[in-house]
Amino acid sequence: MRVTVLGTGTMGAGMARSLLREGHDVTVWNRTAARAEPLAADGARVAASASDAVAGAEAVVTILFDTVSVLEVMTEVSLPAGCVWVQAATIGVDGTERVAALAGERGWLLVDAPVLGTKAPAEQGALVVLAAGEDAALEAARPVTDAIGSRVVRAGTRPGEAARLKLVCNAWVATLTAAVGQSVALAEALGLDPQLFLAALEGGAVDTPYAHVKGAAMLAGDYPPSFAVDGVRKDLGLIRDAARASSTDDRLLTAVLDLFEQASASGHGADDMAAVRTAF
């Protein structure tokens, strides 16, 4: 397919490379052009504007930072007839409703398709795609979702249902990472080698690979970004809004958000989410 990727940050660049590897004709665009230009060496066409990028596209993937950026970009473009819009950014419930309204006004096929995974899965085409939309839209998007993902979880037929599922999943990911940071800090404070904490978990019923990935970064004190602290802060704000709107108790979410805000305030906003360890 002729696929356009709007947004070439950590996730978007990985998605573009996965699409290229599967033989798609890929055009990329990013507001900061320097972040898109390296993809030319991988075979992508780097467009000078979003409007130029979508010209002739059969599928457009948006993987921008937030609702405002998605709507600003997509309001300015015209999608070709038959093009499917794969909206992969995490923009929450209200943001997805606004996106769906825009797609409805323009007569565009829309797939609500946030993804689970970070830098490495994006580069490997191993993301989990959470998808919601009409059957025709999902079928049109299948060559894209097959290229970027290891599997697709159908969340429903209405855009917004996948966005809700993404919030539920990211609540777990953020809370788990903060909990690992707490245990690493507690181990050190009690005079233990925190590696013993990870060793004790290994292979047991409460073990999870994520604890070892993030725990290793915490032990090393090295946080190359895979999912940045400020991105987690943004997502946790959306999650807390959804919790409050649905009358779900938000005390744990609020505490976890506070920890990521502390990590950001201490200079770790662009670092990997494992830097939440510093809040302890």
Side-chain angles (χ1 to χ4, degrees), residues 201-213:
L201 292 183
E202 192 166 5
V206 296
D207 195 14
T208 170
Y210 214 67
H212 296 278
V213 171

Side-chain angles (χ1 to χ4, degrees), residues 11-260:
M11 297 296 289
M15 289 175 163
R17 292 189 181 99
S18 292
L19 287 160
L20 286 162
R21 192 168 55 247
E22 292 300 313
H24 296 289
D25 180 355
V26 180
T27 298
V28 297
W29 172 84
N30 197 72
R31 276 182 169 149
T32 304
R35 298 199 70 178
E37 287 165 0
L39 288 163
D42 296 297
R45 182 177 79 88
V46 181
S49 68
S51 294
D52 175 50
V54 304
E58 294 172 288
V60 170
V61 180
T62 48
I63 184 69
L64 299 156
F65 184 70
D66 56 14
T67 302
V68 171
S69 55
V70 170
L71 289 173
E72 281 184 354
V73 170
M74 293 305 290
T75 300
E76 296 171 357
V77 304
S78 296
L79 299 189
C83 182
V84 61
W85 176 11
V86 182
Q87 202 307 106
T90 303
I91 58 175
V93 177
D94 291 342
T96 305
E97 288 177 355
R98 294 170 66 188
V99 159
L102 175 62
E105 290 169 7
R106 301 286 182 90
W108 294 340
L109 276 177
L110 172 67
V111 179
D112 168 25
V115 296
L116 297 182
T118 51
K119 181 178 181 179
E123 294 280 354
Q124 297 160 3
L127 296 165
V128 176
V129 182
L130 312 177
E134 298 176 359
D135 290 346
L138 266 68
E139 188 59 33
R142 184 174 298 278
V144 172
T145 56
D146 283 351
I148 66 174
S150 59
R151 61 192 178 100
V152 175
V153 176
R154 181 75 178 267
T157 58
R158 295 176 300 168
E161 291 174 305
R164 287 169 168 81
L165 180 56
K166 177 63 186 290
L167 298 183
V168 171
C169 292
N170 273 20
W172 161 247
V173 170
T175 302
L176 175 62
T177 305
V180 174
Q182 175 179 259
S183 288
V184 167
L186 181 60
E188 291 174 345
L190 293 176
L192 296 169
D193 178 351
Q195 181 62 50
L196 289 170
F197 155 60
L198 297 174
L201 292 183
E202 192 166 5
V206 296
D207 195 14
T208 170
Y210 214 67
H212 296 278
V213 171
K214 297 306 179 185
M218 294 173 188
L219 268 57
D222 185 25
Y223 307 113
S226 182
F227 184 8
V229 165
D230 281 345
V232 180
R233 287 175 58 223
K234 182 264 293 182
D235 288 2
L236 282 168
L238 296 172
I239 296 164
R240 188 171 63 174
D241 288 347
R244 290 176 173 175
S246 62
S247 300
T248 304
D249 193 310
D250 69 346
R251 285 175 293 177
L252 181 56
L253 286 169
T254 297
V256 174
L257 175 56
D258 182 62
L259 292 166
F260 279 96

